PDB file of all heavy atoms in Angstrom:
ATOM      1  N   PHE A  18     -27.906  -2.886  11.084  1.00 72.00           N
ATOM      2  CA  PHE A  18     -26.612  -2.249  10.849  1.00 72.00           C
ATOM      3  C   PHE A  18     -26.776  -0.772  10.510  1.00 72.00           C
ATOM      4  O   PHE A  18     -26.100   0.089  11.068  1.00 72.00           O
ATOM      5  CB  PHE A  18     -25.882  -2.989   9.729  1.00 72.00           C
ATOM      6  CG  PHE A  18     -24.589  -2.342   9.304  1.00 72.00           C
ATOM      7  CD1 PHE A  18     -23.459  -2.440  10.102  1.00 72.00           C
ATOM      8  CD2 PHE A  18     -24.507  -1.653   8.114  1.00 72.00           C
ATOM      9  CE1 PHE A  18     -22.268  -1.858   9.718  1.00 72.00           C
ATOM     10  CE2 PHE A  18     -23.327  -1.065   7.716  1.00 72.00           C
ATOM     11  CZ  PHE A  18     -22.205  -1.170   8.519  1.00 72.00           C
ATOM     12  N   ILE A  19     -27.697  -0.459   9.616  1.00 72.00           N
ATOM     13  CA  ILE A  19     -27.925   0.931   9.209  1.00 72.00           C
ATOM     14  C   ILE A  19     -28.428   1.755  10.387  1.00 72.00           C
ATOM     15  O   ILE A  19     -27.991   2.884  10.589  1.00 72.00           O
ATOM     16  CB  ILE A  19     -28.891   0.999   8.012  1.00 72.00           C
ATOM     17  CG1 ILE A  19     -28.195   0.454   6.766  1.00 72.00           C
ATOM     18  CG2 ILE A  19     -29.369   2.421   7.772  1.00 72.00           C
ATOM     19  CD1 ILE A  19     -29.093   0.286   5.574  1.00 72.00           C
ATOM     20  N   ASN A  20     -29.346   1.218  11.175  1.00 65.00           N
ATOM     21  CA  ASN A  20     -29.844   1.947  12.340  1.00 65.00           C
ATOM     22  C   ASN A  20     -28.760   2.183  13.368  1.00 65.00           C
ATOM     23  O   ASN A  20     -28.684   3.247  13.967  1.00 65.00           O
ATOM     24  CB  ASN A  20     -31.010   1.212  12.988  1.00 65.00           C
ATOM     25  CG  ASN A  20     -32.301   1.462  12.271  1.00 65.00           C
ATOM     26  OD1 ASN A  20     -32.482   2.496  11.657  1.00 65.00           O
ATOM     27  ND2 ASN A  20     -33.198   0.507  12.324  1.00 65.00           N
ATOM     28  N   GLN A  21     -27.912   1.205  13.568  1.00 66.00           N
ATOM     29  CA  GLN A  21     -26.822   1.349  14.539  1.00 66.00           C
ATOM     30  C   GLN A  21     -25.872   2.456  14.110  1.00 66.00           C
ATOM     31  O   GLN A  21     -25.464   3.283  14.918  1.00 66.00           O
ATOM     32  CB  GLN A  21     -26.062   0.033  14.672  1.00 66.00           C
ATOM     33  CG  GLN A  21     -24.884   0.114  15.620  1.00 66.00           C
ATOM     34  CD  GLN A  21     -24.072  -1.158  15.613  1.00 66.00           C
ATOM     35  OE1 GLN A  21     -24.326  -2.083  14.856  1.00 66.00           O
ATOM     36  NE2 GLN A  21     -23.080  -1.212  16.471  1.00 66.00           N
ATOM     37  N   VAL A  22     -25.541   2.499  12.851  1.00 63.00           N
ATOM     38  CA  VAL A  22     -24.608   3.506  12.341  1.00 63.00           C
ATOM     39  C   VAL A  22     -25.260   4.883  12.321  1.00 63.00           C
ATOM     40  O   VAL A  22     -24.674   5.869  12.738  1.00 63.00           O
ATOM     41  CB  VAL A  22     -24.102   3.106  10.935  1.00 63.00           C
ATOM     42  CG1 VAL A  22     -23.334   4.245  10.300  1.00 63.00           C
ATOM     43  CG2 VAL A  22     -23.236   1.870  11.026  1.00 63.00           C
ATOM     44  N   SER A  23     -26.501   4.984  11.843  1.00 62.00           N
ATOM     45  CA  SER A  23     -27.131   6.290  11.675  1.00 62.00           C
ATOM     46  C   SER A  23     -27.604   6.911  12.983  1.00 62.00           C
ATOM     47  O   SER A  23     -27.823   8.110  13.040  1.00 62.00           O
ATOM     48  CB  SER A  23     -28.300   6.203  10.694  1.00 62.00           C
ATOM     49  OG  SER A  23     -29.330   5.400  11.223  1.00 62.00           O
ATOM     50  N   ASN A  24     -27.755   6.134  14.031  1.00 55.00           N
ATOM     51  CA  ASN A  24     -28.206   6.682  15.308  1.00 55.00           C
ATOM     52  C   ASN A  24     -27.062   7.211  16.160  1.00 55.00           C
ATOM     53  O   ASN A  24     -27.270   7.632  17.280  1.00 55.00           O
ATOM     54  CB  ASN A  24     -28.990   5.633  16.097  1.00 55.00           C
ATOM     55  CG  ASN A  24     -30.361   5.413  15.523  1.00 55.00           C
ATOM     56  OD1 ASN A  24     -30.933   6.292  14.895  1.00 55.00           O
ATOM     57  ND2 ASN A  24     -30.901   4.221  15.711  1.00 55.00           N
ATOM     58  N   ASN A  25     -25.874   7.220  15.618  1.00 50.00           N
ATOM     59  CA  ASN A  25     -24.730   7.730  16.366  1.00 50.00           C
ATOM     60  C   ASN A  25     -24.894   9.233  16.583  1.00 50.00           C
ATOM     61  O   ASN A  25     -25.254   9.965  15.678  1.00 50.00           O
ATOM     62  CB  ASN A  25     -23.452   7.440  15.574  1.00 50.00           C
ATOM     63  CG  ASN A  25     -22.208   7.709  16.377  1.00 50.00           C
ATOM     64  OD1 ASN A  25     -22.274   8.171  17.515  1.00 50.00           O
ATOM     65  ND2 ASN A  25     -21.078   7.434  15.792  1.00 50.00           N
ATOM     66  N   ASN A  26     -24.624   9.697  17.774  1.00 58.00           N
ATOM     67  CA  ASN A  26     -24.830  11.112  18.093  1.00 58.00           C
ATOM     68  C   ASN A  26     -23.623  11.991  17.768  1.00 58.00           C
ATOM     69  O   ASN A  26     -23.634  13.177  18.032  1.00 58.00           O
ATOM     70  CB  ASN A  26     -25.217  11.276  19.566  1.00 58.00           C
ATOM     71  CG  ASN A  26     -24.119  10.855  20.517  1.00 58.00           C
ATOM     72  OD1 ASN A  26     -23.001  10.583  20.108  1.00 58.00           O
ATOM     73  ND2 ASN A  26     -24.439  10.790  21.784  1.00 58.00           N
ATOM     74  N   GLY A  27     -22.559  11.433  17.209  1.00 64.00           N
ATOM     75  CA  GLY A  27     -21.413  12.236  16.822  1.00 64.00           C
ATOM     76  C   GLY A  27     -20.380  12.414  17.910  1.00 64.00           C
ATOM     77  O   GLY A  27     -19.369  13.049  17.699  1.00 64.00           O
ATOM     78  N   ARG A  28     -20.609  11.866  19.077  1.00 76.00           N
ATOM     79  CA  ARG A  28     -19.641  11.973  20.172  1.00 76.00           C
ATOM     80  C   ARG A  28     -19.015  10.638  20.515  1.00 76.00           C
ATOM     81  O   ARG A  28     -18.102  10.579  21.316  1.00 76.00           O
ATOM     82  CB  ARG A  28     -20.320  12.548  21.406  1.00 76.00           C
ATOM     83  CG  ARG A  28     -20.769  13.961  21.183  1.00 76.00           C
ATOM     84  CD  ARG A  28     -21.318  14.553  22.439  1.00 76.00           C
ATOM     85  NE  ARG A  28     -21.787  15.893  22.145  1.00 76.00           N
ATOM     86  CZ  ARG A  28     -22.898  16.398  22.580  1.00 76.00           C
ATOM     87  NH1 ARG A  28     -23.685  15.681  23.351  1.00 76.00           N
ATOM     88  NH2 ARG A  28     -23.252  17.618  22.274  1.00 76.00           N
ATOM     89  N   VAL A  29     -19.526   9.571  19.920  1.00 79.00           N
ATOM     90  CA  VAL A  29     -19.044   8.227  20.194  1.00 79.00           C
ATOM     91  C   VAL A  29     -18.656   7.578  18.873  1.00 79.00           C
ATOM     92  O   VAL A  29     -19.403   7.642  17.899  1.00 79.00           O
ATOM     93  CB  VAL A  29     -20.143   7.389  20.888  1.00 79.00           C
ATOM     94  CG1 VAL A  29     -19.677   5.970  21.111  1.00 79.00           C
ATOM     95  CG2 VAL A  29     -20.561   8.030  22.200  1.00 79.00           C
ATOM     96  N   CYS A  30     -17.477   6.981  18.838  1.00 84.00           N
ATOM     97  CA  CYS A  30     -17.027   6.290  17.627  1.00 84.00           C
ATOM     98  C   CYS A  30     -17.960   5.108  17.367  1.00 84.00           C
ATOM     99  O   CYS A  30     -18.216   4.301  18.265  1.00 84.00           O
ATOM    100  CB  CYS A  30     -15.596   5.802  17.811  1.00 84.00           C
ATOM    101  SG  CYS A  30     -14.983   4.839  16.424  1.00 84.00           S
ATOM    102  N   CYS A  31     -18.474   5.013  16.145  1.00 82.00           N
ATOM    103  CA  CYS A  31     -19.436   3.956  15.857  1.00 82.00           C
ATOM    104  C   CYS A  31     -18.767   2.593  15.716  1.00 82.00           C
ATOM    105  O   CYS A  31     -19.445   1.582  15.703  1.00 82.00           O
ATOM    106  CB  CYS A  31     -20.264   4.287  14.613  1.00 82.00           C
ATOM    107  SG  CYS A  31     -19.351   4.297  13.093  1.00 82.00           S
ATOM    108  N   LYS A  32     -17.432   2.546  15.658  1.00 85.00           N
ATOM    109  CA  LYS A  32     -16.746   1.263  15.562  1.00 85.00           C
ATOM    110  C   LYS A  32     -16.277   0.752  16.927  1.00 85.00           C
ATOM    111  O   LYS A  32     -16.597  -0.347  17.323  1.00 85.00           O
ATOM    112  CB  LYS A  32     -15.558   1.358  14.613  1.00 85.00           C
ATOM    113  CG  LYS A  32     -14.875   0.037  14.405  1.00 85.00           C
ATOM    114  CD  LYS A  32     -13.768   0.100  13.398  1.00 85.00           C
ATOM    115  CE  LYS A  32     -13.157  -1.288  13.251  1.00 85.00           C
ATOM    116  NZ  LYS A  32     -11.739  -1.231  13.054  1.00 85.00           N
ATOM    117  N   CYS A  33     -15.534   1.583  17.659  1.00 87.00           N
ATOM    118  CA  CYS A  33     -14.966   1.110  18.931  1.00 87.00           C
ATOM    119  C   CYS A  33     -15.789   1.525  20.146  1.00 87.00           C
ATOM    120  O   CYS A  33     -15.627   0.969  21.219  1.00 87.00           O
ATOM    121  CB  CYS A  33     -13.527   1.578  19.082  1.00 87.00           C
ATOM    122  SG  CYS A  33     -13.324   3.354  19.324  1.00 87.00           S
ATOM    123  N   GLY A  34     -16.658   2.526  19.996  1.00 81.00           N
ATOM    124  CA  GLY A  34     -17.541   2.923  21.079  1.00 81.00           C
ATOM    125  C   GLY A  34     -16.949   3.900  22.083  1.00 81.00           C
ATOM    126  O   GLY A  34     -17.599   4.249  23.056  1.00 81.00           O
ATOM    127  N   LYS A  35     -15.712   4.360  21.859  1.00 85.00           N
ATOM    128  CA  LYS A  35     -15.138   5.295  22.829  1.00 85.00           C
ATOM    129  C   LYS A  35     -15.604   6.722  22.544  1.00 85.00           C
ATOM    130  O   LYS A  35     -15.950   7.070  21.419  1.00 85.00           O
ATOM    131  CB  LYS A  35     -13.616   5.204  22.865  1.00 85.00           C
ATOM    132  CG  LYS A  35     -12.901   5.825  21.704  1.00 85.00           C
ATOM    133  CD  LYS A  35     -11.395   5.724  21.899  1.00 85.00           C
ATOM    134  CE  LYS A  35     -10.691   6.478  20.791  1.00 85.00           C
ATOM    135  NZ  LYS A  35      -9.252   6.447  20.933  1.00 85.00           N
ATOM    136  N   ILE A  36     -15.609   7.538  23.583  1.00 82.00           N
ATOM    137  CA  ILE A  36     -16.003   8.941  23.446  1.00 82.00           C
ATOM    138  C   ILE A  36     -14.912   9.664  22.664  1.00 82.00           C
ATOM    139  O   ILE A  36     -13.724   9.527  22.948  1.00 82.00           O
ATOM    140  CB  ILE A  36     -16.215   9.589  24.819  1.00 82.00           C
ATOM    141  CG1 ILE A  36     -17.395   8.918  25.526  1.00 82.00           C
ATOM    142  CG2 ILE A  36     -16.449  11.079  24.677  1.00 82.00           C
ATOM    143  CD1 ILE A  36     -17.614   9.378  26.936  1.00 82.00           C
ATOM    144  N   VAL A  37     -15.335  10.434  21.665  1.00 84.00           N
ATOM    145  CA  VAL A  37     -14.391  11.116  20.780  1.00 84.00           C
ATOM    146  C   VAL A  37     -14.643  12.614  20.864  1.00 84.00           C
ATOM    147  O   VAL A  37     -15.763  13.085  20.691  1.00 84.00           O
ATOM    148  CB  VAL A  37     -14.580  10.638  19.322  1.00 84.00           C
ATOM    149  CG1 VAL A  37     -13.509  11.235  18.438  1.00 84.00           C
ATOM    150  CG2 VAL A  37     -14.562   9.135  19.232  1.00 84.00           C
ATOM    151  N   TYR A  38     -13.590  13.360  21.148  1.00 82.00           N
ATOM    152  CA  TYR A  38     -13.710  14.808  21.220  1.00 82.00           C
ATOM    153  C   TYR A  38     -13.593  15.427  19.835  1.00 82.00           C
ATOM    154  O   TYR A  38     -13.095  14.797  18.900  1.00 82.00           O
ATOM    155  CB  TYR A  38     -12.665  15.373  22.178  1.00 82.00           C
ATOM    156  CG  TYR A  38     -12.875  14.863  23.576  1.00 82.00           C
ATOM    157  CD1 TYR A  38     -12.094  13.831  24.083  1.00 82.00           C
ATOM    158  CD2 TYR A  38     -13.897  15.375  24.360  1.00 82.00           C
ATOM    159  CE1 TYR A  38     -12.315  13.339  25.363  1.00 82.00           C
ATOM    160  CE2 TYR A  38     -14.118  14.886  25.640  1.00 82.00           C
ATOM    161  CZ  TYR A  38     -13.332  13.871  26.130  1.00 82.00           C
ATOM    162  OH  TYR A  38     -13.561  13.373  27.382  1.00 82.00           O
ATOM    163  N   LYS A  39     -14.042  16.644  19.692  1.00 80.00           N
ATOM    164  CA  LYS A  39     -14.193  17.303  18.396  1.00 80.00           C
ATOM    165  C   LYS A  39     -12.948  17.239  17.518  1.00 80.00           C
ATOM    166  O   LYS A  39     -13.035  16.938  16.335  1.00 80.00           O
ATOM    167  CB  LYS A  39     -14.616  18.753  18.609  1.00 80.00           C
ATOM    168  CG  LYS A  39     -15.229  19.393  17.416  1.00 80.00           C
ATOM    169  CD  LYS A  39     -15.747  20.761  17.762  1.00 80.00           C
ATOM    170  CE  LYS A  39     -17.107  20.920  17.147  1.00 80.00           C
ATOM    171  NZ  LYS A  39     -17.753  22.157  17.473  1.00 80.00           N
TER     172      LYS A  39
END
Side-chain angles (χ1 to χ4, degrees):
F18 174 75
I19 290 172
N20 279 332
Q21 178 186 4
V22 170
S23 66
N24 286 333
N25 190 357
N26 65 9
R28 295 185 182 137
V29 177
C30 176
C31 67
K32 184 176 181 217
C33 69
K35 75 177 186 179
I36 295 174
V37 186
Y38 298 101
K39 199 174 224 176

